[in-house]
Every structure is written in C-alpha cells, then in structure tokens.
Amino acid sequence: MDNAMYSEELAVAVRVVHMACCLCQRVQDGLVGTSSEQVKSKDDDSPVTVADWSVQATVSWILAEVFGSQNVSIVAEEEIQTLSKPDSADLLEAVVNTVNECLSEAPKFGLKCPDKALRTSQVLDAISRCNSTGGPKGRHWILDPVDGTLGFVRGDQYAVALALIEDGKVVIGVLGCPNYPMNKEWLNYHNKFYQAMSKQSPPASDSWEKGCVMYARRGSGEAWMQPMVLGDQKLEWPNSARLIKVSSIDNPAMATFCEPVEKANSNHSFTKGLVHSVGLRKQPLRVYSMVKYAAIARGDAEIFMKFARAGYKEKIWDHAAGVLIVEEAGGVVTDAGGRPLDFSRGIYLEGLDRGIIVCSGAALHEKIIGAVYASWDSSNL
C-alpha cells in the first residue's frame, strides 16, 4: 500500500487514542475501590462508566473537527439514553467535565482543542453522532471507547479501540492498552499487585506503568507500539514507536493461549476440550478485552480462541482494530472454518462460523482448525 494512503487518518487516530487512554487512566484511578455513581448498567446488564461516554464524545468531537462532521461516519458502542435520563444528571455532569478536561489537553497530543468548553448539548451531540451501522460501502470509523468495562471497573486490563473501515475492509487499527505491561512477566499478576510492587521499587523506563498504544495500516506488513504519554510529556509521533512482531513458536506444547475472563458470552468448556486435543500444555493467559489481540501481536502469547455461547453475536468494534494489528504483525485471524472475518455487514460479524481463532502463525492455526473440525461433532455446543 502507498505510504501516503491513510497517513493523516492514522496520525489522528493514534493521537486521539493516546488522549483517550489518559482520560481513562484518570477515571480509573478515581473509580477503583469506590462504590461510585459513575458506573451504570445497560439494558444487557453490562456496566458502562463515565469513561465510556467521555471517550466516545472526545473521539467523535476530534474526528468531526479534523475531517468535518458531514464526512465522518462512526459506529460505536454507547448510546445516550441512560445518560439523558433525569436521574443521571450527576453522571452527565461528570461526563461533560471529563470531556472538557481531556479536550483542553489536546495540544499535548498534537491536536486542536475547542475555543471554549463544550456545553452539555454539544457533548450529547458528539456521543449520539456515533450512530452509523457501517456496511459494505464508504468509510466508517469503528470505536469501542472502553473495551472490557468489567476489567476497567476492577482496576484491571481494558482497551480503547479505534479502527477505520473502507468499503468493508479494515484499513487502520489502533489499540490503546493503558494497563498493559511493557514487561510480559507482569501479565500474570493483577494490576493492583503490580502497582503496590512498583511503589516499593521505582520502575525502569520501559516498565508496565507506561501502558502502550499499538497501531497498524493495512498492507504495510508492519505493526507498531508506543509507550503511553505520562504526566506533562508531549506525544512524539511516530518517533517513540517500535516495531512489534508475533511469536515464532509453532509447537503447541510451547504455546501460550489467551482466553476471555468473562464467562457470560464464551463457551469455556469447548475451548478447554480443544486445548487438550491440540496439546497446549501451558497455563492460559486470562485477559479482559481486546488486550488479547495486543498480547498476540506483540509475541506474548500465540493463540486466542473465542467460541460464543448460543445466541451471542460478535460485534465489529470488539475485533476490528485488534484483527488488523495481529495480521500486520504477521499473525492469522479467521473464524473456526478458516475464513477471514467479514466487517462489511453492519455492526455484527455476520456469517461467523462457530468462533474466532487468532494465531501467531499459519502452522499453529492449521492445527487448531483441524482440531475444531475433529472436536465439534462430539461437542454439545
């Protein structure tokens, strides 16, 4: 792909995800350990926080400002119904304040801030503008403002994910992982444990505390990672980025696999049977959210499998950015039938065959696809 293709879109996307990660860290620091009014439940009972709405408003405002609101179509997870209810006045005020605090720091990230603070109506407009349903034609930004809200609320892993789809294909993917350690060894520890440890001994320059933002552009054959922007630092882009590559391990006995923490929408028992039949011996890495894609893109794990429970449909914002980053880092992503994921059919991954399989390379991928075919008939999915 021509280097100039999507270069402005990628630069804006990386900058705004860095900004969103800083916003989330502030909210998470204030949230963890408090029984806060800042967490609400959606109709499907999944939690949603001030950070979800604030990130959506911030990203929406910046994209409209840079590319013109009439040119920007955004598919995103959150809607404003809960936020607009009379009993949510405090919540709405917290969102407006969080958005304005974040936007005031835009110049630090190489973006323009508003001339004056946004009013409540402008913040609600920015959130509700994200009402596209995607599809096979045109350009659509795909945003998951806080992927893994449960992890976020618990002070653990979560991600901010932004992708650009053009004519049904993901062309840019950016994944911000504010709690993802730069050092793989810390992945197995809970975030709070690590924070306690790092207070006792000052962290090295590339330690966990930074978190990271990963990004890729379709067809470049490259995926990149940058440390988070800390304190009063300015974002240097792309100077502080380094290339990431998937792991070269292709022996199942040596491979690490990721599985979802959340049991509600995953079939853990089928995955467990598959793990046994493929010969995976290592302890699984249980990680919230799209951070699993980050782990594979960076070579910290080799396999991620997700088989949904009956009736659950995968949404494009939970996968778009992560899939592209893994692919450009050298990995393979398909459904369980070996077909590429189809992002051109609206907000769901329609036509998905049984589940999603993400691998660091083709050899492992083939073994898993083979095992799925062998195990499926004997499974009671």
Side-chain angles (χ1 to χ4, degrees), residues 20 42 72 149 154 167 183 203 205 242 260 270 277 295 302 324 375:
K42 290 189 278 197
V72 173
T149 308
R154 291 173 179 172
D167 295 339
N183 178 345
S205 62
R242 63 178 164 95
F270 181 72
S277 65
E302 285 74 34
L324 183 67
S375 320

Side-chain angles (χ1 to χ4, degrees), residues 19-331:
M19 204 164 129
C21 286
C22 289
L23 180 163
C24 287
Q25 277 189 309
R26 269 205 295 267
V27 175
Q28 192 183 48
D29 290 345
L31 195 64
V32 176
T34 62
S35 56
S36 170
E37 238 304 283
Q38 297 199 328
V39 184
K40 287 274 182 183
S41 276
K42 290 189 278 197
D43 292 343
D44 62 0
D45 278 347
S46 54
V48 59
T49 68
V50 164
D52 289 87
W53 283 300
S54 301
V55 168
Q56 191 157 310
T58 301
V59 172
S60 172
W61 190 86
I62 292 283
L63 291 179
E65 195 65 16
V66 175
F67 300 111
S69 56
Q70 71 286 0
N71 303 321
V72 173
S73 160
I74 306 174
V75 182
E77 184 163 21
E78 305 311 336
E79 49 190 17
I80 60 168
Q81 272 78 333
T82 309
L83 208 49
S84 308
K85 288 177 182 161
D87 65 347
S88 295
D90 291 350
L91 188 67
L92 179 55
E93 188 184 350
V95 168
V96 173
N97 291 341
T98 306
V99 169
N100 279 315
E101 187 182 358
C102 182
L103 285 174
S104 70
E105 294 185 346
K108 194 170 96 173
F109 299 92
L111 295 165
K112 188 173 161 288
C113 61
D115 298 333
K116 54 178 192 278
L118 301 191
R119 299 185 307 278
T120 301
S121 60
Q122 291 173 292
V123 170
L124 287 172
D125 281 351
I127 297 170
S128 57
R129 255 204 315 271
C130 305
N131 61 355
S132 166
T133 52
K137 288 276 168 268
R139 281 189 170 196
H140 307 283
W141 291 93
I142 314 298
L143 171 68
D144 194 338
V146 178
D147 182 52
T149 308
L150 213 54
F152 178 79
V153 169
R154 291 173 179 172
D156 210 309
Q157 297 290 344
Y158 66 98
V160 177
L162 182 62
L164 177 62
I165 288 180
E166 179 143 44
D167 295 339
K169 292 261 185 280
V170 186
V171 293
I172 286 173
V174 185
L175 199 53
C177 307
N179 288 334
Y180 191 58
M182 296 301 256
N183 178 345
K184 177 186 173 181
E185 277 60 51
W186 288 115
L187 267 176
N188 294 312
Y189 294 100
H190 190 278
N191 193 1
K192 286 179 189 156
F193 169 81
Y194 182 83
Q195 285 170 339
M197 292 294 288
S198 61
K199 284 194 176 79
Q200 289 169 22
S201 55
S205 62
D206 65 345
S207 81
W208 154 297
E209 282 208 311
K210 285 234 167 77
C212 58
V213 173
M214 298 182 186
Y215 58 91
R217 182 172 49 195
R218 173 170 291 284
S220 64
E222 294 175 342
W224 297 85
M225 176 171 74
Q226 293 177 313
M228 289 264 298
V229 176
L230 293 175
D232 295 328
Q233 287 176 337
K234 278 197 154 162
L235 172 64
E236 286 184 36
W237 194 79
N239 308 356
S240 55
R242 63 178 164 95
L243 270 173
I244 51 173
K245 271 274 172 244
V246 292
S247 153
S248 56
I249 290 171
D250 59 5
N251 176 357
M254 306 291 292
T256 298
F257 86 100
C258 293
E259 65 175 356
V261 179
E262 303 89 336
K263 283 203 165 69
N265 55 25
S266 296
N267 187 323
H268 275 298
S269 60
F270 181 72
T271 308
K272 210 170 176 180
L274 208 56
V275 162
H276 185 70
S277 65
V278 175
L280 298 173
R281 303 271 176 269
K282 295 181 79 169
Q283 269 295 100
L285 199 58
R286 282 203 160 183
V287 188
Y288 289 96
S289 83
M290 248 190 281
V291 173
K292 292 179 275 288
Y293 283 105
I296 289 175
R298 207 177 74 173
D300 293 343
E302 285 74 34
I303 300 163
F304 159 45
M305 301 180 271
K306 186 175 181 197
F307 298 94
R309 288 175 182 266
Y312 180 81
K313 287 168 84 172
E314 296 289 348
K315 298 176 191 75
I316 58 173
W317 52 70
D318 287 327
H319 301 281
V323 168
L324 183 67
I325 291 167
V326 166
E327 288 176 340
E328 295 300 322

